[in-house]
Amino acid sequence: MQGKHRKTLIAVFTNPVSASIEWRAIEALLKATGANVIEGSGSRVRFEKDGEIATFHRPHPAKEAKRYQVRDARDFLIRTGVTP
C-alpha cells in the first residue's frame, strides 16, 4: 500500500467523518487493498473482497465522497480486515 493510500485509510477512519475526501482516493484505496471493482449502470459501482460486497454510487457532480459513503467504505474495510 502506497503512502497516499495510507493517508486515505487514516482519513476514512478519522472521527468525526470527513466530507472532504475525494471519491477517487477512496476508490483507489479499496483497489489497493485487493478489492475487485464491478461496474454497474450509471454511477453505480460495487467492490468485492473475500466474499464481502459493498455498493456505492459515485458522487457527482462533486468530487468529494458524502459522509455516509465514507462510513460505508469504513465498514467494508473493517469487514475485510483492513484497519489503520
Side-chain angles (χ1 to χ4, degrees), residues 19-62:
S20 64
I21 304 171
E22 287 191 14
W23 172 253
R24 64 186 177 107
I26 293 174
E27 195 165 336
L29 169 65
L30 296 176
K31 289 177 190 177
T33 63
N36 296 315
V37 180
I38 304 164
E39 295 289 339
S41 61
S43 63
R44 179 170 285 178
V45 63
R46 292 187 310 173
F47 295 91
E48 185 277 328
K49 181 180 177 197
D50 301 333
E52 295 290 335
I53 297 175
T55 303
F56 299 93
H57 285 274
R58 289 184 176 111
H60 52 82

Side-chain angles (χ1 to χ4, degrees), residues 59-75:
H60 52 82
K63 296 182 210 175
E64 293 80 19
K66 308 278 191 240
R67 285 187 170 98
Y68 75 89
Q69 292 172 314
V70 175
R71 281 192 295 271
D72 290 349
R74 180 191 306 174
D75 291 342

